[in-house]
Amino acid sequence: MNWNAVLPELILGIGILTLFLVELFLAKKHYKFLSVLGFVFTFLSAYSIFFVNYPAKVFFDGFSIDGLSLVGKLFVLALTGLVLLASYDYFNKKDSVYNELPYLYLIATLGLMIMLSSENLAIIFTGLELASITMYILTGLFRKDYLSKEGAFKYLVIGTTGTSMYALGTGLIYAASGSITLSHYSGENTLFALGIVLIISALALKVSAAPFHFWTPDAYEGAPTPTTAYLSTVPKVAFYFLFVKLLVGLMSSFQDWRYVVIVLAVLSMFYGNVVAYAQRSVKRLLAYSSIAHAGYFLTALTAVDKDLFTALLFYVFVYGLANLGAFTILSILEKNEGWTHNFLDFKGLYQDSPLLAALLALFLFALIGIPPAAIFLGKLGIFLGLVKTEQLVLGVLFAIASLISAGYYLKVIVYMFLYKGERRFKRPEISAGEAFTILVTSFLVVLLGLFPQVVLNLLTSRI
Amino acid sequence: MELLLNIAIFLPLVGAIVVALVRNEQFAKVFSIVLSGIVAIITLILFLNFDFSKQGFQYETYLPWIEPLGIGYHVGVDGMAITLILMTAILFFAVFVWSWKIEDRPIPYIALFLALETACIGVFAALDLFLFYLFWEGMLIPMYFIIGFWGHDRKVYAANKFFIYTFFGSLFLLLGIASILVYGYLETGKLSFDYFFHLQLEYPFWLQLLAFLLFGLGFAVKIPMWPFHTWLPDAHVEAPTAGSVILAGVLLKMGTYGFVRFSLPLFPEASKYFVPLIFTLSVIAVIYAAMMAIAQTHMKRLIAYSSISHMGLVTLGTFALNPDALNGAIYLMIAHGLSSAALFFGAGFIYDRIHSYHMDDLGGLARYVPYFTFAFFLAVLAGIAFPGFASFVSEFLILLGTFKNHPIWAFVAGIGMVLGAAYSLYMFWKVMLEEDSIPEERKEKWKKLKDIELHHAIPFALIIAMALIMGVYPYPFVKIVEHTTKLVFGG
């Protein structure tokens, strides 16, 4: 038995069990300790990735490790660690500490990692479910809060629909090809086509692409903000790695899915960007922005092209960093008494806490795609790939959608900087963990824009 | 020498960080003047050492940067670029001197302007398309906040409009860059953002047309050409004086610079193909904007429309595809950068003293601020291409060159120049000389007006001196500008 191949999962699993046991004996005031312990385990798990030999297959080929999935796991673990560090003070201040939280985050991450490390559709399903169910719980954390309950319930109902679609798709693929592993399947078959469309739809639902996005705004708004930060970054990264793997493995034998993805992409870009203008809450606005971003990402999945995939995965990762930074700042602000994320609360934020306002502006400018923020490079890469695969029209649509999006991000910046505040808020305290997360994300967002080689080399050599 | 160019680009950015960290107002002001002065001197040294008898780019630096994407750090200048950089450095120096007495949040103000200077100089020096785009977008955020923070009543509207318009153009520019990049990749198997790499490639006609339109849209918004010009009057009216000066003096030139640097050499056939389109838009800009300027009662709006009109003349000269006209067009970029800066300084001075830009509130100021009147008169003369000023040489060259191939267009554009003299002199007359419509109590109040101060006089003196030198003794400047013309037309 080759334990080396499952080293990261193993360490994370041990971490989860440790947290689970320790939590039984600890009072609520030690919540911070638990979070930090969780961070230590994510760090160890991420570190162990460098010692994994790949490619390798274990558990009767149920578990297969390749270079790309390792990079995916690294990204996922990095973001999870940052979320954990950023979250503890929020829950302490909100007086809603449940010591189970840190390991719930870890379980969701473990699910995503399992999902990434298999070529068997059934095992992918197991990982997917493990992650999804944990995320439903995380969303509904504020049990007495109506919005949180509503968000969790919507997420549960729609998310379950998604996973059942996935299961049905797997069944159909099995019926058509006699196998549930990712392998090249040649031959026209209606069942197979239907199965793939179902799987694409299920994944599109998970990455909140229109028209499967209905859970997104409510779940994002209702969830505690650190959880929103988690939901909008970690699973996204994992799902796009999975998407790439599916496209390379399973779907290269089947061409019609392209049009499905194009339709999803265009719909999401424009729906997300246009509806974002109607929002009065910045948190909800960012939810719509993530729908729009799902559209941008999907444009890169319309052709099997190495450069497109590299650009996409880079883009998703730096998008995750910027989004994480933005949501962390929202969660810091939310610690203020009476903060609602309404635009009016953001009025004149620059006067009260200039640093937070400036950093949020940095993340928002990054999300617009202004260089030198790294997201610009992601966009550029996708542009290049789209032109290369002769999809200039899609590239133009992408550009137009990006332009539309500039308006609502700017609206937040305008409210923060250019209007005078009517209500003054105290300058919120920033905990060490939050400071660390913001520092790391903001530095990486700019640095990776200027020196992206590290991440790009990691990706290009493995796709 | 190569190092000096890099220092000139990045010194202001370092300065911006220092200013933001030190957080001392008096220090920031002195520091910004000294720093921009150093940059101006460096660029002057570079300019004087520029060997215009030698073909090609000079002071080149090349460093590998993001190799998987074919991006390198590549800067260098030719005649046009070094002259524009010199003008930029002088204008920024003038702006910092002018801002000596600013009271509203001076630290972020100075930091943003310093960051803006890096972006502006960088645009003119970049020889890598990615680097170019980086600087091109880099000016967006500082300028956005300069208009948004220190602007007048409708600053938020103007700042947003500025941002959205320019971003709109930039995205198409980006698509254009992507399209030629991919063509280069498919043709040669090498992904490269390098300018010279693309200069060697011969694009097929369809690609030239496509890329010309994509690039052109990006440049046209920035210049701005009719019908993409509507952001400019708003941005100018709302921007603070220094913001207007940089906007008119430097940012607008980036668009025409882009046409000369990229569109003409990279897409020569498409440039020929689109001459009628560009001519039509240019002449509409020249005439329409001049007519609009006549109708304005707001000083800054009038100067803004005159900028659009003059930039129309620059695009006309650029696409006359004739060495004389192109010389004139490049010359006018610099001349107009100086004259419009001087005019906006004038409007800014009047606003400082009387707190109005509206000509109805003004009149007969010559009696109260005689020294300023003299400076402003010279600025107006520089603006209307009076002989002896740089714009006279440039506009003459443009019309001369255009007339050779397109006499009718040249004639029509000439009408625009006459209109230009009309509205500029009308403005001067209304603001400075006309006394009948001024109520008595206002005259009483104005008796105490303070005339021009040293921190106003230095910018005026610098700019007008440069315009005069370039107008009276144009020979070396034309030689330097011709350096670029030769690069473009080959020969």
Side-chain angles (χ1 to χ4, degrees), chain B residues 39-70:
Chain B
V39 173
I41 290 169
I42 291 177
T43 52
L44 190 65
I45 293 171
L46 290 174
F47 179 78
L48 294 176
N49 277 309
F50 190 85
D51 181 3
F52 54 80
S53 60
K54 219 162 58 190
Q55 278 278 10
F57 285 77
Q58 293 173 30
Y59 311 134
E60 272 186 69
T61 315
Y62 181 82
L63 294 171
W65 185 13
I66 307 173
E67 275 167 349
L69 289 174

Side-chain angles (χ1 to χ4, degrees), chain B residues 43 46-47 50 59 77-86 480:
Chain B
T43 52
L46 290 174
F47 179 78
F50 190 85
Y59 311 134
V77 289
D78 63 348
M80 165 175 68
I82 189 63
T83 324
L84 281 169
I85 287 175
L86 178 68
I480 281 197

Side-chain angles (χ1 to χ4, degrees), chain B residues 164-400:
Chain B
I164 299 285
Y165 264 76
T166 341
F167 191 57
F168 165 82
S170 312
L171 279 174
F172 283 96
L173 176 63
L174 186 62
L175 273 181
I177 293 176
S179 62
I180 61 168
L181 215 67
V182 169
Y183 176 79
Y185 177 68
L186 295 179
E187 246 349 69
T188 64
K190 190 172 156 226
L191 194 63
S192 173
F193 279 79
D194 201 78
Y195 177 63
F196 295 114
F197 173 79
H198 287 282
L199 215 48
Q200 289 161 5
L201 290 178
E202 298 236 337
Y203 304 118
F205 190 55
W206 63 268
L207 182 71
Q208 286 199 19
L209 293 185
L210 177 76
F212 184 91
L213 285 178
L214 290 172
F215 271 74
L217 202 54
F219 298 145
V221 171
K222 194 77 124 214
I223 291 175
M225 286 170 83
W226 188 86
F228 304 106
H229 65 281
T230 56
W231 64 270
L232 186 75
D234 286 311
H236 268 314
V237 166
E238 302 305 329
T241 306
S244 288
V245 168
I246 297 301
L247 195 59
V250 182
L251 298 197
L252 304 193
K253 309 301 174 288
M254 290 181 184
T256 45
Y257 171 83
F259 269 130
V260 179
R261 170 69 74 241
F262 298 106
S263 299
L264 286 184
L266 294 181
F267 323 120
E269 273 128 52
S271 301
K272 275 194 202 102
Y273 181 84
F274 281 116
V275 163
L277 175 72
I278 301 270
F279 267 28
T280 315
L281 294 183
S282 304
V283 167
I284 290 177
V286 171
I287 302 293
Y288 166 82
M291 305 282 258
M292 286 300 282
I294 292 177
Q296 302 306 319
T297 57
H298 188 290
M299 280 179 77
K300 273 185 138 180
R301 200 172 271 277
L302 187 148
I303 307 171
Y305 275 109
S306 96
S307 289
I308 300 172
S309 177
H310 280 99
M311 293 315 276
L313 217 49
V314 175
T315 44
L316 185 82
T318 309
F319 283 89
L321 301 181
N322 166 295
D324 281 335
L326 185 58
N327 277 343
I330 300 171
Y331 213 82
L332 185 55
M333 283 185 216
I334 297 147
H336 177 258
L338 296 170
S339 67
S340 63
L343 286 172
F344 275 117
F345 274 138
F349 175 83
I350 291 174
Y351 186 81
D352 273 359
R353 292 288 186 262
I354 303 179
H355 300 288
S356 174
Y357 288 121
H358 281 280
M359 289 195 234
D360 300 337
D361 300 340
L362 305 167
L365 287 177
R367 196 183 290 280
Y368 311 103
V369 283
Y371 292 108
F372 169 72
T373 311
F374 178 64
F376 194 51
F377 186 60
L378 290 180
V380 169
L381 288 185
I384 61 171
F386 193 75
F389 286 93
S391 39
F392 170 72
V393 180
S394 54
E395 294 188 13
F396 179 75
L397 280 174
I398 290 176
L399 293 184
L400 183 75

Side-chain angles (χ1 to χ4, degrees), chain B residues 12-36:
Chain B
L13 188 64
V14 176
I17 296 167
V18 171
V19 166
L21 289 180
V22 175
R23 306 185 70 78
N24 177 315
E25 298 187 358
Q26 203 55 36
F27 167 79
K29 284 176 183 169
V30 176
F31 183 71
S32 66
I33 292 173
V34 172
L35 200 75
S36 59

